[in-house]
Amino acid sequence: PSQTLVAFKNYSDYQITGVFGASNFSVQKIKSDMGCTAPRTIQFVSGYGIIRLTHRGFALYNGVDDRLLSEEIRPYIVGHDDIQGLNFSAVSRSWATQNPNPPFYIAACPVNGNTQTRVFVYDLVRKAWTICDFAAAFASLALLLSPLAQPSAVATTATGGQILSLFTGTKTDNGTAIPWSVRFKPFSIGSFLRPAFWRRLVVDMLFTTPSQAVTAQSTLLGLPTLVTKTMTYTSPASGSLWGSMVWGSGVWGASGTVDGRQDISIMKTANAVTLDLSGTGNVRIRGIAFQGKSKPLNKVLTTV
């Protein structure tokens, strides 16, 4: 809608105004040194601005300000401790697209070699990042538009010539249950330096695939002894059921939707805990809650 073109170089960006050759034609440098290191990650996001990958991370230019969006996930871009960063010698191969529902900015980037194995998902509404690792390495991303259906984001695989649908609610991979895993942020009660007694963990899940066995394994890290719990649920196709799970389970009508709530006993002391959940099958994690109590600080005696 405006007569302004935004051009990116590696470490600088410019606004080009007017028509080439006209008296009002001008090129102005934007007050930023971020530019763009991966041209295929440039996406104009309606209502927000232009998002792209720079040498500092993902940045948003809204026509006035150019600011970083990815400071909280910086280790996944440049690396830190045991987290490997992106392969910046091949980062120009990165690819991005948008997902309309939910509204996401999606970027796939290389970590080892030239294929895109780390996928960054930015929730435009909640302004929050999720790091995804898919079973297949991606070669490109695209948004398919159709006048008869909702737009859908797809990815092409680096090997095999497959086209995969993303964030469409697909329950299987060509008829096979999909393995998954997720790690949540560390949990603490108050300061990470203050010990706490962790009594139990409650995980609330929803299973939407009828007659499919779903196995969910939770692992609690950061405790003196690793706590693991394996849960297996089978969603019946129809009918009414109650009482076959921990805290019961229910089928709502003939939809085969099963509600499962798992109570995991911990009964250990630790400063903080990290929760890993993994399994197979179509699962919606609706909520997690730790129950614990902060403990008093221990008196530390020092000798001078």
Side-chain angles (χ1 to χ4, degrees):
S2 64
Q3 295 182 351
T4 300
L5 174 68
V6 180
F8 296 105
K9 298 182 71 175
N10 281 344
Y11 303 105
S12 58
D13 29 17
Y14 301 85
Q15 275 192 332
I16 304 173
T17 306
V19 181
F20 288 93
S23 59
N24 62 343
F25 176 77
S26 66
V27 178
Q28 292 182 328
K29 188 178 184 302
I30 298 172
K31 294 180 180 180
S32 172
D33 67 343
M34 288 189 287
C36 179
T37 56
R40 294 185 181 93
T41 63
I42 300 174
Q43 290 285 312
F44 172 74
V45 183
S46 180
Y48 295 89
I50 300 175
I51 302 178
R52 79 283 182 195
L53 179 61
T54 75
H55 68 286
R56 297 181 185 271
F58 291 94
L60 169 68
Y61 178 64
N62 60 10
V64 179
D65 297 322
D66 195 19
R67 59 185 180 88
L68 283 174
L69 298 175
S70 57
E71 276 303 286
E72 61 268 32
I73 58 166
R74 175 185 287 271
Y76 292 94
I77 298 174
V78 300
H80 182 71
D81 292 338
D82 61 336
I83 301 176
Q84 186 175 357
L86 300 181
N87 179 11
F88 276 88
S89 64
V91 77
S92 61
R93 298 173 179 264
S94 302
W95 212 297
T97 189
Q98 300 177 51
N99 188 68
N101 185 29
F104 290 156
Y105 169 85
I106 311 166
C109 306
V111 177
N112 294 310
N114 298 326
T115 58
Q116 282 68 263
T117 55
R118 180 168 296 165
V119 180
F120 298 89
V121 180
Y122 183 63
D123 190 317
L124 296 168
V125 177
R126 295 180 173 86
K127 293 180 173 56
W129 288 94
T130 299
I131 312 298
C132 297
D133 292 316
F134 289 86
F138 293 163
S140 63
L141 300 174
L143 182 65
L144 300 183
L145 304 175
S146 171
L148 303 178
Q150 279 283 345
S152 59
V154 298
T156 61
T157 58
T159 57
Q162 296 173 316
I163 299 178
L164 308 178
S165 61
L166 304 177
F167 307 108
T168 57
T170 303
K171 295 180 174 58
T172 64
D173 181 8
N174 197 24
T176 303
I178 300 173
W180 55 269
S181 66
V182 58
R183 170 170 288 188
F184 296 90
K185 67 178 183 179
F187 293 86
S188 66
I189 301 177
S191 171
F192 279 90
L193 301 179
R194 190 181 187 94
F197 179 74
W198 302 93
R199 183 176 300 276
R200 66 179 179 177
L201 164 68
V202 179
V203 182
D204 186 70
M205 292 171 285
L206 187 69
F207 310 111
T208 58
T209 304
S211 301
Q212 178 174 320
V214 176
T215 301
Q217 177 176 342
S218 60
T219 303
L220 295 172
L221 309 175
L223 294 170
T225 303
L226 197 64
V227 177
T228 61
K229 179 72 174 182
T230 300
M231 306 154 282
T232 301
Y233 302 118
T234 301
S235 170
S238 61
S240 179
L241 177 66
W242 184 262
S244 67
M245 294 187 202
V246 178
W247 292 10
S249 66
V251 176
W252 304 327
S255 63
T257 302
V258 175
D259 176 78
R261 183 171 294 177
Q262 181 66 54
D263 183 348
I264 303 173
S265 178
I266 302 176
M267 306 301 287
K268 294 184 182 296
T269 299
N271 290 9
V273 294
T274 298
L275 173 64
D276 285 356
L277 284 178
S278 62
T280 56
N282 188 262
V283 181
R284 181 184 301 170
I285 301 174
R286 297 190 297 186
I288 55 175
F290 281 94
Q291 296 179 2
K293 182 178 180 180
S294 179
K295 298 185 67 175
L297 294 173
N298 296 327
K299 185 176 181 180
V300 179
L301 298 178
T302 60
T303 302
V304 180

